[in-house]
Amino acid sequence: MKTDILIVGGGLAGLRLADLLHAQGSDFILVEARDRVGGRVLSEAVEGGRFDLGPSWFWSGQPRIAALIDRFGLQQFEQFSEGAFAYEDEHGQVQYGRGSATMQGSWRIEGGMSRLALALAQAIPAQYCLAGHPVVSLIRHEDGIEAILDDGRSVRAHQVILSIPPRVAAVRIAFSPPLSRPAIEAMRNVPTWMAGQAKAVAVYDEPFWRNAALSGDAMSRRGPLVEMHDASPARGGPYALFGFIGVPPSGRMDEKALRAGIVAQLGRIFGDRATRPATLLLKDWAFDPFTATEADHEPLHAHPRYGLPAVMSGLWDGTLSFGGTEVAEQFGGYVEGAFVAAEDAAVRLTNSLSHRAGPLP
């Protein structure tokens, strides 16, 4: 296969870049390692509802996601926050009304964040996308770059955009000739946002916590969940509570024990009814090989300062570059940052390809 531009990664950044290139009439191929698009965006269906196991929220003042929601006719709704906040101390004692809803004012997409990923994917002709095949190596030639896929096939391109976490690229892709040591070190030092996280969603037939004047928001110093929120759809059921698991990845290996601990904790905070979810969904991103590396198992205590390090720019004379949320100059790590990175990559590609000479032989 031959193309002008190869996009590696079909998360929101890669999909949006492909969308922009398609609108410009550019020649491109998008390759995604998973058998689905969306990357860290994942919404699971349960009895007619869809529940986010990756990012759920966006905020006012993020114009790119707002424009795409409007373009695709998606509906947004405000995070539920009415009722009392719950706090569990290290002894398992629960207090209500201490503090306020922590995500009040944030927004969600009806049907889950995956609806946005699917809308972007459907805007791109199917022949431009290849899913289920990781890129295992990139080889630089005089006339471009050759990408070798896991099944032995190759894609030759003038430009390659890595719309995946830099750490994942450093670990999973072999570069020939090797990238400089400073570049590889910089890639390994870019934390992948939320990569070490695990998320649990407990699904119920009714929102009993709302009936008890609780918002579904809770914080805990005992765990295994450290932060909880209402994850119910905008209208109707099924209803849900979700939480971020605070136990480090090394302590999450026994899934049966983890599930039991989550259910018991929900019962302590929200009452006996919470111990009987219809479904308990778990997603541990730390063990997803296309999201996290060993370095991502170390906890992040603050939001990293993202952007594109100088040693990671202009690689292979500008034919290899990055285009994921971790290199965005604004909103890095967030969904909006994925779209910022895609727009920046599209501008770089347009400028670069306008100066190249001739097609691939």
Side-chain angles (χ1 to χ4, degrees), residues 25-70:
S26 299
D27 180 37
F28 69 90
I29 292 175
L30 183 152
V31 175
E32 164 56 39
R34 299 177 176 90
D35 59 4
R36 62 170 182 84
V37 296
R40 281 166 276 178
V41 169
L42 176 63
S43 307
E44 289 285 352
V46 178
E47 298 180 2
R50 296 191 70 86
F51 302 96
D52 288 319
L53 293 173
S56 300
W57 298 305
F58 65 98
W59 291 266
S60 299
Q62 296 183 339
R64 294 161 186 83
I65 188 171
L68 289 169
I69 288 171
D70 183 65

Side-chain angles (χ1 to χ4, degrees), residues 189-224:
N189 286 333
V190 177
T192 304
W193 183 239
M194 301 299 285
Q197 288 286 339
K199 191 173 180 179
V201 180
V203 183
Y204 303 94
D205 296 331
E206 60 178 337
F208 51 85
W209 58 94
R210 296 185 181 181
N211 300 335
L214 298 177
S215 65
D217 267 45
M219 301 291 286
S220 172
R221 294 187 62 187
R222 181 172 179 179

Side-chain angles (χ1 to χ4, degrees), residues 34 50 87 111 120 163 184 257 305 316 318 321 336:
R34 299 177 176 90
R50 296 191 70 86
Y87 172 79
L120 282 166
S163 294
I184 290 292
R305 293 185 62 183
W316 286 351
S321 58
E336 183 77 359

Side-chain angles (χ1 to χ4, degrees), residues 77-314:
F77 66 102
E78 192 169 358
Q79 169 69 34
F80 182 81
S81 60
E82 297 177 11
F85 177 88
Y87 172 79
E88 181 184 39
D89 68 19
E90 60 270 28
H91 305 295
Q93 299 298 311
V94 182
Q95 303 173 38
Y96 300 99
R98 173 176 171 172
S100 58
T102 56
M103 297 310 299
Q104 186 174 8
S106 61
W107 294 87
R108 293 166 54 199
I109 295 176
E110 287 193 19
M113 189 65 75
S114 285
R115 289 201 62 194
L116 181 55
L118 292 173
L120 282 166
Q122 290 166 1
I124 306 163
Q127 65 266 27
Y128 292 103
C129 300
L130 181 61
H133 292 287
V135 171
V136 297
S137 65
L138 292 173
I139 305 169
R140 185 187 184 191
H141 300 284
E142 289 185 2
D143 54 10
I145 298 174
E146 180 182 15
I148 307 299
L149 309 185
D150 66 332
D151 62 358
R153 285 183 294 172
S154 68
V155 181
R156 292 177 68 96
H158 286 104
Q159 294 274 338
V160 173
I161 297 290
L162 298 173
S163 294
I164 59 177
R167 277 182 174 171
V168 173
V171 170
R172 297 192 61 88
I173 298 177
F175 297 89
S176 179
L179 300 180
S180 70
R181 179 173 295 180
I184 290 292
E185 288 180 353
M187 291 162 65
R188 292 178 181 271
N189 286 333
V190 177
T192 304
W193 183 239
M194 301 299 285
Q197 288 286 339
K199 191 173 180 179
V201 180
V203 183
Y204 303 94
D205 296 331
E206 60 178 337
F208 51 85
W209 58 94
R210 296 185 181 181
N211 300 335
L214 298 177
S215 65
D217 267 45
M219 301 291 286
S220 172
R221 294 187 62 187
R222 181 172 179 179
L225 302 177
V226 292
E227 177 185 338
M228 288 144 273
H229 303 277
D230 188 306
S232 306
R235 292 179 293 273
Y239 303 88
L241 295 166
F242 91 84
F244 295 109
I245 298 172
V247 179
S250 60
R252 304 199 295 249
M253 306 298 289
D254 187 339
E255 183 175 322
K256 183 178 180 180
L258 182 61
R259 286 177 175 272
I262 290 169
V263 169
Q265 181 184 22
L266 291 172
R268 293 194 304 270
I269 296 174
F270 297 105
D272 181 69
R273 179 65 184 84
T275 64
R276 299 186 296 277
T279 303
L280 179 60
L281 303 170
L282 289 180
K283 175 59 180 178
D284 198 328
W285 292 100
F287 299 102
D288 185 321
F290 302 119
T291 295
T293 68
E294 287 288 335
D296 292 304
H297 291 189
E298 294 297 321
L300 293 177
H301 300 291
H303 196 101
R305 293 185 62 183
Y306 285 125
L308 183 62
V311 295
M312 286 170 51
S313 63

